[in-house]
Coordinates of all heavy atoms in Angstrom, one line a residue:
V1 N -5.9 11.7 13.9 CA -5.8 12.1 12.5 C -6.9 13.1 12.1 O -7.9 13.2 12.8 CB -6.0 10.8 11.6 CG1 -4.9 9.8 11.9 CG2 -7.4 10.2 11.8
N2 N -6.7 13.8 11.0 CA -7.7 14.7 10.5 C -8.8 13.8 9.9 O -8.6 12.7 9.5 CB -7.2 15.6 9.4 CG -6.2 16.6 10.0 OD1 -6.4 17.1 11.1 ND2 -5.2 16.9 9.2
P3 N -10.1 14.3 9.8 CA -11.2 13.5 9.3 C -10.9 12.9 7.9 O -11.3 11.7 7.6 CB -12.3 14.5 9.3 CG -12.1 15.4 10.4 CD -10.6 15.6 10.4
D4 N -10.2 13.6 7.0 CA -10.0 13.1 5.7 C -8.8 12.1 5.6 O -8.6 11.5 4.6 CB -9.6 14.3 4.7 CG -8.4 15.1 5.1 OD1 -7.8 14.8 6.2 OD2 -8.0 16.0 4.4
E5 N -8.2 11.8 6.8 CA -7.2 10.8 6.8 C -7.7 9.5 7.4 O -6.9 8.5 7.4 CB -6.0 11.3 7.7 CG -5.3 12.5 7.2 CD -4.3 13.1 8.1 OE1 -4.6 13.1 9.4 OE2 -3.2 13.6 7.7
V6 N -8.9 9.4 7.8 CA -9.5 8.2 8.4 C -9.5 7.0 7.5 O -9.0 5.9 7.8 CB -10.9 8.5 9.0 CG1 -11.6 7.2 9.4 CG2 -10.8 9.5 10.2
A7 N -10.0 7.2 6.3 CA -10.2 6.1 5.4 C -8.9 5.4 5.0 O -8.9 4.2 5.1 CB -11.0 6.6 4.1
P8 N -7.9 6.1 4.6 CA -6.7 5.4 4.2 C -6.0 4.7 5.4 O -5.4 3.6 5.2 CB -5.8 6.5 3.6 CG -6.3 7.8 4.1 CD -7.8 7.6 4.2
L9 N -6.1 5.3 6.6 CA -5.5 4.6 7.8 C -6.3 3.4 8.1 O -5.7 2.3 8.4 CB -5.5 5.6 9.0 CG -4.9 5.0 10.3 CD1 -3.5 4.5 10.0 CD2 -4.9 6.0 11.4
A10 N -7.6 3.4 7.9 CA -8.5 2.3 8.2 C -8.1 1.1 7.2 O -8.0 -0.1 7.7 CB -9.9 2.6 8.0
E11 N -7.8 1.4 6.0 CA -7.4 0.4 5.0 C -6.1 -0.3 5.5 O -6.0 -1.5 5.4 CB -7.3 1.0 3.6 CG -8.6 1.4 3.0 CD -9.5 0.2 2.7 OE1 -9.0 -0.9 2.4 OE2 -10.7 0.3 2.8
M12 N -5.2 0.5 5.9 CA -3.9 0.0 6.3 C -4.1 -0.9 7.5 O -3.5 -2.0 7.6 CB -2.9 1.1 6.6 CG -1.5 0.7 7.0 SD -1.3 0.4 8.7 CE 0.4 -0.2 8.7
I13 N -4.9 -0.4 8.5 CA -5.1 -1.2 9.7 C -5.7 -2.6 9.4 O -5.4 -3.6 9.9 CB -5.9 -0.4 10.8 CG1 -5.1 0.8 11.3 CG2 -6.4 -1.3 11.9 CD1 -6.0 1.8 12.1
A14 N -6.7 -2.5 8.5 CA -7.5 -3.7 8.1 C -6.5 -4.8 7.5 O -6.9 -6.0 7.5 CB -8.6 -3.4 7.2
S15 N -5.4 -4.3 7.0 CA -4.5 -5.3 6.4 C -3.5 -5.9 7.4 O -2.8 -6.9 7.0 CB -3.7 -4.6 5.3 OG -2.7 -3.7 5.9
Q16 N -3.5 -5.5 8.6 CA -2.6 -6.0 9.6 C -3.2 -7.3 10.2 O -4.3 -7.3 10.8 CB -2.3 -4.9 10.7 CG -1.7 -3.7 10.1 CD -0.4 -3.9 9.4 OE1 0.6 -4.5 10.0 NE2 -0.3 -3.5 8.2
P17 N -2.4 -8.4 10.2 CA -3.0 -9.6 10.7 C -3.3 -9.7 12.1 O -4.2 -10.5 12.5 CB -1.8 -10.6 10.3 CG -0.6 -9.8 10.3 CD -1.0 -8.5 9.7
N18 N -2.7 -9.0 13.0 CA -2.9 -9.1 14.4 C -3.6 -7.9 15.0 O -3.6 -7.6 16.2 CB -1.6 -9.3 15.1 CG -0.9 -10.6 14.7 OD1 -1.6 -11.7 14.7 ND2 0.3 -10.6 14.4
L19 N -4.3 -7.1 14.1 CA -5.2 -6.0 14.6 C -6.6 -6.2 14.0 O -6.8 -6.7 12.9 CB -4.7 -4.7 14.1 CG -3.2 -4.3 14.4 CD1 -2.9 -2.9 13.9 CD2 -3.0 -4.3 15.9
T20 N -7.6 -5.8 14.8 CA -9.0 -5.8 14.4 C -9.5 -4.4 14.5 O -9.6 -3.9 15.7 CB -9.9 -6.8 15.2 OG1 -9.4 -8.1 15.0 CG2 -11.3 -6.7 14.7
L21 N -9.8 -3.8 13.4 CA -10.4 -2.4 13.5 C -11.8 -2.5 14.0 O -12.7 -3.1 13.4 CB -10.3 -1.8 12.1 CG -10.8 -0.3 12.0 CD1 -10.0 0.6 12.9 CD2 -10.8 0.1 10.6
R22 N -12.1 -1.8 15.1 CA -13.4 -1.8 15.7 C -14.2 -0.5 15.4 O -15.4 -0.5 15.5 CB -13.3 -2.0 17.2 CG -12.8 -3.4 17.5 CD -13.7 -4.5 17.1 NE -14.9 -4.5 17.8 CZ -15.1 -5.2 19.0 NH1 -14.2 -5.9 19.5 NH2 -16.3 -5.1 19.6
G23 N -13.5 0.7 15.2 CA -14.2 1.9 15.0 C -13.4 3.1 15.2 O -12.2 3.1 14.9
L24 N -14.0 4.2 15.7 CA -13.4 5.5 15.8 C -13.5 6.0 17.3 O -14.4 5.6 18.0 CB -14.1 6.5 14.9 CG -14.1 6.2 13.4 CD1 -14.9 7.3 12.7 CD2 -12.7 6.1 12.9
M25 N -12.6 6.8 17.6 CA -12.6 7.4 19.0 C -12.3 8.9 18.8 O -11.5 9.3 17.9 CB -11.5 6.8 19.8 CG -11.3 7.4 21.2 SD -10.1 8.7 21.3 CE -9.5 8.6 23.0
A26 N -12.9 9.7 19.7 CA -12.6 11.2 19.6 C -12.7 11.8 21.0 O -13.5 11.3 21.9 CB -13.5 11.9 18.6
I27 N -12.0 12.9 21.2 CA -12.1 13.7 22.4 C -12.5 15.1 21.9 O -11.7 15.9 21.5 CB -10.8 13.8 23.2 CG1 -10.3 12.4 23.5 CG2 -11.0 14.6 24.5 CD1 -9.0 12.4 24.2
P28 N -13.8 15.4 21.7 CA -14.2 16.7 21.2 C -13.8 17.9 22.1 O -13.3 17.7 23.2 CB -15.8 16.6 21.1 CG -16.0 15.1 21.1 CD -14.9 14.5 21.9
T29 N -14.0 19.1 21.6 CA -13.6 20.3 22.4 C -14.3 20.3 23.7 O -15.5 20.0 23.9 CB -14.1 21.5 21.6 OG1 -13.5 21.5 20.3 CG2 -13.6 22.8 22.3

């Protein structure tokens, strides 16, 4: 996702009963 899309996706993931959001991952240039 683009950086500005992180927060709303995190909110959605946090609402899922069988997922635990642990953080962020990236593969820089």
Side-chain angles (χ1 to χ4, degrees):
V1 299
N2 293 326
D4 61 357
E5 298 172 320
V6 168
L9 180 57
E11 288 296 326
M12 184 271 174
I13 292 170
S15 72
Q16 299 302 302
N18 296 314
L19 302 181
T20 296
L21 180 62
R22 296 295 293 269
L24 303 177
M25 175 270 210
I27 306 172
T29 304

